[in-house]
């Protein structure tokens, strides 16, 4: 399974667009990239998943370049409630391993 | 859709007792369920993977005789912490997946275990 590397923490302000980049240099052909959000004392919540290029849903966009060695989660116009830990994972049909995640702190 | 529940949400027990945590997929059949443990300010650590009707596969360093996992149906998996000790106090989270390939995991809300 590909090991992922993310910034430990990030700060941003309400209303801004936040981009969190994750590197996964050893990603395998069958791996998908999935991002989860976790609030304190709650289970992770699925945000978005992609294989390559760009994926967009109602809460985020995911950009994956052609070499798939990195991915960027984009959160448009963040609010205080987006303060959480964000995990980037490579996921196949067996299991996923969580990295340390990025602690995002949104300031008023 | 894709809702996973856990019961109880929190439990406090005395040292030496056993605690059972249930994980249910409410609106889909989960061929595979996963159990994680999370200590404060740390990431989730995978403990074991269970497939319906077969024995669980435990990660290295996780004692299978201490953390008993049963996946008796496609909607229910249980984790029993036997002879719990204070160092077992943690946040236990399950996840479930219905199939293979790109089918993602959906996580339960977690169970806070405190062993006195």
């Amino acid at each position: 399974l590909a090991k992922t590397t993310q910034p430990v923490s990030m700060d941003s302000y309400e209303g801004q667009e936040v981009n969190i980049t994750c590197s996964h240099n050893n990603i395998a052909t069958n791996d998908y990239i999935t991002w989860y959000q976790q609030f304190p004392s709650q289970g992770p919540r699925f945000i978005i998943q992609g294989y390559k290029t760009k994926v967009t849903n109602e809460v985020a966009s995911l950009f994956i370049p052609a070499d798939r060695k990195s991915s960027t989660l984009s959160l448009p116009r963040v609010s205080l409630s987006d303060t959480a830990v964000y995990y980037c994972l490579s996921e196949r049909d067996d299991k996923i391993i969580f990295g340390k995640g990025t602690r995002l702190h949104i300031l008023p | 859709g894709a809702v996973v529940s856990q019961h109880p949400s929190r439990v406090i027990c005395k040292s030496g007792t056993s605690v059972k945590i249930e994980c249910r997929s409410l609106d889909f059949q989960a061929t595979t369920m996963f159990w994680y443990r999370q200590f404060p300010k740390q990431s989730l650590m995978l403990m074991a993977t269970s497939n319906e009707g077969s024995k669980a596969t435990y990660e290295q360093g996780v004692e299978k005789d201490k953390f008993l996992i049963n996946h008796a149906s496609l909607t229910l998996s249980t984790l029993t912490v036997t002879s719990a000790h204070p160092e077992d106090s943690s946040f236990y989270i399950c996840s479930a997946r219905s199939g293979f390939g790109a089918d993602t995991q959906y996580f339960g809300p977690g169970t806070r275990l405190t062993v006195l």
Side-chain angles (χ1 to χ4, degrees):
Chain A
L1 293 169
K3 179 181 177 180
T4 59
T5 304
Q6 307 172 232
V8 173
S9 65
M10 293 179 66
D11 290 342
S12 187
Y13 291 93
E14 277 193 294
Q16 298 294 307
E17 177 185 78
V18 171
N19 296 310
I20 307 175
T21 298
C22 175
S23 67
H24 25 81
N25 292 317
N26 298 320
I27 190 169
T29 302
N30 295 335
D31 288 348
Y32 283 75
I33 303 302
T34 311
W35 286 78
Y36 291 88
Q37 175 193 56
Q38 187 183 27
F39 297 112
S41 296
Q42 294 186 27
R45 182 177 76 100
F46 172 84
I47 301 175
I48 197 166
Q49 183 182 70
Y51 185 79
K52 61 180 178 181
T53 64
K54 178 181 176 181
V55 179
T56 298
N57 61 22
E58 63 275 10
V59 297
S61 294
L62 177 60
F63 301 91
I64 305 173
D67 65 6
R68 302 198 335 116
K69 293 183 182 300
S70 67
S71 60
T72 299
L73 173 72
S74 181
L75 304 173
R77 298 185 60 79
V78 293
S79 63
L80 295 176
S81 62
D82 291 317
T83 293
V85 179
Y86 292 81
Y87 294 98
C88 156
L89 304 158
S90 64
E91 186 167 0
R92 232 180 299 166
D93 58 7
D94 44 4
K95 61 185 179 185
I96 58 175
I97 303 296
F98 279 79
K100 297 184 184 302
T102 297
R103 194 170 296 274
L104 176 64
H105 187 203
I106 305 301
L107 305 167
Chain B
V3 177
V4 176
S5 70
Q6 281 184 243
H7 178 80
S9 58
R10 58 179 63 223
V11 56
I12 301 172
C13 69
K14 293 182 178 180
S15 184
T17 61
S18 295
V19 174
K20 179 185 284 188
I21 302 170
E22 292 186 348
C23 176
R24 293 181 185 272
S25 56
L26 299 184
D27 49 5
F28 66 101
Q29 292 186 324
T31 55
T32 306
M33 287 186 169
F34 304 85
W35 287 94
Y36 296 82
R37 180 167 52 179
Q38 186 175 34
F39 294 106
K41 301 292 186 183
Q42 294 187 23
S43 184
L44 284 77
M45 291 170 36
L46 180 64
M47 299 175 66
T49 303
S50 72
N51 292 296
E52 186 264 338
S54 61
K55 291 184 177 180
T57 301
Y58 290 81
E59 294 299 302
Q60 191 173 10
V62 178
E63 299 176 56
K64 63 179 181 180
D65 294 330
K66 181 170 184 62
F67 299 99
L68 302 178
I69 293 172
N70 184 282
H71 191 165
S73 77
L74 286 172
T75 60
L76 173 64
S77 176
T78 61
L79 167 68
T80 301
V81 183
T82 62
S83 186
H85 291 285
E87 58 266 29
D88 297 323
S89 298
S90 189
F91 192 52
Y92 291 85
I93 307 170
C94 73
S95 69
R97 182 163 61 198
S98 62
F100 297 94
D103 198 13
T104 194
Q105 294 185 27
Y106 295 94
F107 288 81
T111 296
R112 174 75 59 193
L113 170 63
T114 303
V115 185
L116 303 176

